[in-house]
Amino acid sequence: MATRKASMEFRHRRILKTLYFFQLRRMLHTADLNIAVAVEGKLRLEHLFPAAADINIRTRRIPVIFQHHRAFFSSILRQIRIKIFGEYGFAATKYHAGLSAEARRKNQNDFIYDTAPVIVATNAFGMGIDKSNVRFVLHYNMPQSMENYYQEAGRAGRDGLPSQCVLLFSAQDVIINKFLLDKKDFAEMDDEEADLLRQRDLQRLQTMERYCQTTECLRNYILAYFGEHPTAPCGNCGSCNNDFDE
């Protein structure tokens, strides 16, 4: 049973990666995305607030903010509401697995119909949102894999208009994610299969860490991960524009 479950999970991940690749090509080649990584550490909020406010004031369009760790979720949402969106009159809602189905449905509808034009989420999965006018996706911390990052960053610019994706990164993200991976439950698998999955998860985490630290073209890094071979830098990402200094 454990062998079959592990095999099915491997096949599922291969299928997802194939789907990600074809969707990714469409997103990166049709959308005018500026992708950047900011190494901010304790200055994350100072970076977050003016950037989010500027996007709203300038474009009157929609931001999505991802905070992956529930332990910090409420604190971040509260500060966002008070320091930025309260000042400018923008409502912010939330989405995570700890909410009831009714609350998730209401918050999702508030976001879709612009009653709350800002959403803070732990992840993109289950949101079921294909909202074309998302202009700004901000990751408050580093996701555990490139697959997760693409799924979430891919919320921006679905109508092909200029949009921005910013990932705030610090070394603490790596420490926290390794801790969470160590706590992952593989009780239904034997030791060999569990070790294989741990190794794969760790490799995905290392790929994300290298992405956050690279000075190469970020768009090309993503495309190369999914099997494409770009021939020239995009000229529009944080590395190409040298937007952030490490």
Side-chain angles (χ1 to χ4, degrees):
M1 179 65 71
T3 301
R4 181 179 180 184
K5 182 176 180 180
S7 178
M8 290 177 64
E9 181 168 350
F10 290 145
R11 288 199 298 271
H12 177 66
R13 289 185 178 185
R14 283 198 299 268
I15 291 171
L16 283 179
K17 190 167 182 177
T18 301
L19 291 174
Y20 289 147
F21 172 63
F22 287 111
Q23 294 173 1
L24 180 75
R25 290 188 65 186
R26 178 177 59 84
M27 180 188 81
L28 291 182
H29 290 301
T30 62
D32 186 5
L33 290 182
N34 176 268
I35 306 171
V37 176
V39 184
E40 290 294 328
K42 293 182 179 179
L43 300 177
R44 291 184 184 205
L45 287 175
E46 284 77 357
H47 179 88
L48 164 62
F49 293 144
D54 178 67
I55 292 293
N56 264 300
I57 294 169
R58 179 164 48 83
T59 66
R60 304 293 296 180
R61 296 294 184 175
I62 308 303
V64 177
I65 300 167
F66 289 105
Q67 160 56 260
H68 295 98
H69 306 311
R70 289 279 301 281
F72 308 109
F73 187 92
S74 296
S75 173
I76 298 304
L77 177 62
R78 181 171 60 253
Q79 293 180 72
I80 288 171
R81 283 172 167 168
I82 292 173
K83 290 190 176 183
I84 282 296
F85 302 112
E87 295 179 11
Y88 293 100
F90 298 112
T93 191
K94 58 186 177 181
Y95 191 101
H96 59 73
L99 299 173
S100 67
E102 181 180 354
R104 289 198 303 271
R105 182 166 53 251
K106 178 184 182 303
N107 293 352
Q108 179 171 302
N109 286 336
D110 286 347
F111 177 66
I112 291 173
Y113 298 111
D114 293 341
T115 302
V118 179
I119 192 165
V120 182
T122 50
N123 58 59
F125 303 108
M127 289 174 65
I129 295 171
D130 187 9
K131 193 173 178 65
S132 64
N133 62 340
V134 172
R135 290 285 165 268
F136 181 48
V137 171
L138 186 138
H139 282 81
Y140 193 76
N141 43 35
M142 183 186 74
Q144 290 185 353
S145 71
M146 187 61 70
E147 287 85 354
N148 289 353
Y149 177 66
Y150 154 70
Q151 173 77 359
E152 295 162 0
R155 301 285 167 183
R158 293 195 171 191
D159 55 7
L161 295 179
S163 302
Q164 185 178 21
C165 301
V166 176
L167 193 164
L168 303 183
F169 168 76
S170 76
Q172 186 181 23
D173 293 340
V174 180
I175 296 172
I176 292 175
N177 280 320
K178 284 183 177 178
F179 173 80
L180 294 174
L181 290 179
D182 287 340
K183 296 296 182 181
K184 197 170 181 179
D185 184 13
F186 296 104
E188 297 184 11
M189 299 181 185
D190 61 37
D191 291 343
E192 183 178 355
E193 291 159 347
D195 285 342
L196 285 174
L197 288 178
R198 287 193 187 96
Q199 291 173 15
R200 287 198 171 195
D201 288 341
L202 183 59
Q203 288 172 356
R204 289 188 172 96
L205 182 60
Q206 291 170 341
T207 296
M208 278 306 306
E209 183 179 3
R210 288 193 294 270
Y211 172 81
C212 292
Q213 295 174 340
T214 186
T215 57
E216 299 176 3
C217 175
L218 297 176
R219 185 177 299 205
N220 286 357
Y221 187 102
I222 298 173
L223 287 170
Y225 176 79
F226 285 99
E228 193 162 338
H229 304 286
T231 58
C234 72
N236 192 42
C237 69
S239 291
C240 290
N241 295 330
N242 196 24
D243 287 343
F244 299 106
D245 296 324
E246 296 187 16

